[in-house]
Amino acid sequence: AIGNSARRRNRQVLYRSSEQFTNELIEAIGNHSTDDFRARYRRVDVLLVDDIQFIGNKERTQEEFFHTFNHLYEAGSQIVLTSDRPPKALATLEVRLRSRFEGGLQTDIAPPDVETRVAILQRKATRLGMVVDKRVLMAVAERFDSNIRELEGALNQLNWQSQLAGVPLTYETALTIVENLAPQRRPASPPDVIRVVANHFDVTPEALIG
């Protein structure tokens, strides 16, 4: 979304996963073409890097990204990074990188609400050519709320099961399939909470409640 918005304003955008960045660097080192590699990353207006946490423990990759980050920052370019945890929790990254990441705007992307999940499923169903009862979409949206991949995977399963059986996807059939696919959750009891918290802080349950 950020990249598309920037392109509409005629800004030069480059999107890469951290793995692609590392692989391209390795290839550039092997081909003696690191200057071309650096030019490709340092002449953009917006650099988008996904899963930046995976460059942890990769010294040469971190070194190269550090200098790329500095170059773009000084040039007034925009840098957008995603990670599965905040910068201060990225223990495998060099301190100088973490401090730079912490200097920017940090935003937590929360899971979408149920109405948004239904809308996502509706669009996915349309792309798949599925005609699905709204009640089916609501049933899926209510049971899968952790991430979009899981949500779309459930809809794919419904589509495949319906095709394999050669029958229309009724609400009752879909409900049975969804119940089998959905993660089984049970309410947390007070002893469960005490056990998990005590384990997290490396204390005994007796010390926690004493």
Side-chain angles (χ1 to χ4, degrees), residues 75-137:
S77 298
Q78 186 71 52
I79 306 160
V80 183
L81 311 173
T82 68
S83 173
D84 60 1
R85 49 194 179 275
K88 64 182 179 182
L90 299 175
T92 57
L93 282 185
E94 294 178 1
V95 174
R96 59 180 180 173
L97 274 177
R98 281 208 311 271
S99 66
R100 278 160 176 75
F101 297 169
E102 289 172 350
L105 171 66
Q106 297 179 42
T107 304
D108 179 35
I109 302 176
D113 56 35
V114 67
E115 292 83 6
T116 303
R117 296 199 298 273
V118 170
I120 291 169
L121 287 170
Q122 183 65 69
R123 291 187 63 181
K124 175 77 172 179
T126 300
R127 288 200 300 271
L128 292 172
M130 296 175 65
V131 179
V132 188
D133 189 319
K134 279 287 179 66
R135 294 180 301 164
V136 172
L137 300 181

Side-chain angles (χ1 to χ4, degrees), residues 133-154:
D133 189 319
K134 279 287 179 66
R135 294 180 301 164
V136 172
L137 300 181
M138 182 60 74
V140 175
E142 287 175 343
R143 288 163 175 78
F144 295 87
D145 57 6
S146 61
N147 63 71
I148 300 303
R149 292 187 184 97
E150 185 181 68
L151 191 69
E152 293 186 336

